[in-house]
Amino acid sequence: MLLSLAESVRDRTKLAEWTKAGKTALDQETVGKDATNEPLTVTFPAPLPTPFVTRLRGAGLRWNKVLRHWEGLADHDVIAALAAEQNGTVRRVHPTAEFDGERDRGRISERS
């Protein structure tokens, strides 16, 4: 609806103001929700009950069947409290320079 309204506006200055205000509002909403989220992995010593799996998914995690752990972008404190209920271990995932595409672009590995 808003996009069709924008197409009909002849005042380009007004359209630019609307675009800027909309982008600002969207950025604040997106950043506000994910501000405390970080990449995490979680492992558990035993199989989990289905209701607990549902809670993990609701917290933003997904099961990695290859690596056999839960992973995702989530709030560390929330996930740590949740994992503690089933004796889980939470690990923060930090990118390394070797896998950082921006810094390593075009660089030859020293291990080669």
Side-chain angles (χ1 to χ4, degrees):
M1 179 178 81
L2 292 175
L3 293 175
S4 63
L5 177 63
E7 289 176 4
S8 66
V9 173
R10 297 193 199 295
D11 182 355
R12 294 294 170 206
T13 304
K14 189 58 133 176
L15 183 59
E17 290 173 10
W18 288 353
T19 301
K20 183 178 178 183
K23 183 177 179 342
T24 301
L26 184 61
D27 287 347
Q28 287 175 345
E29 178 70 19
T30 302
V31 170
K33 285 183 180 176
D34 295 332
T36 59
N37 289 354
E38 59 184 302
L40 304 170
T41 62
V42 187
T43 55
F44 295 94
L48 301 171
T50 302
F52 190 77
V53 167
T54 302
R55 291 174 60 203
L56 288 173
R57 287 194 173 110
L61 299 180
R62 64 182 177 154
W63 175 248
N64 184 318
K65 62 183 174 184
V66 174
L67 298 176
R68 316 265 316 142
H69 67 213
W70 288 88
E71 63 187 23
L73 293 174
D75 184 307
H76 179 272
D77 295 337
V78 170
I79 298 302
L82 191 58
E85 294 178 26
Q86 297 288 328
N87 298 318
T89 303
V90 180
R91 187 173 70 85
R92 287 181 161 106
V93 179
H94 298 285
T96 62
E98 181 178 347
F99 296 107
D100 186 348
E102 290 300 316
R103 287 187 281 175
D104 285 349
R105 198 165 307 221
R107 190 183 305 170
I108 298 173
S109 173
E110 296 174 9
R111 288 192 245 166
S112 302

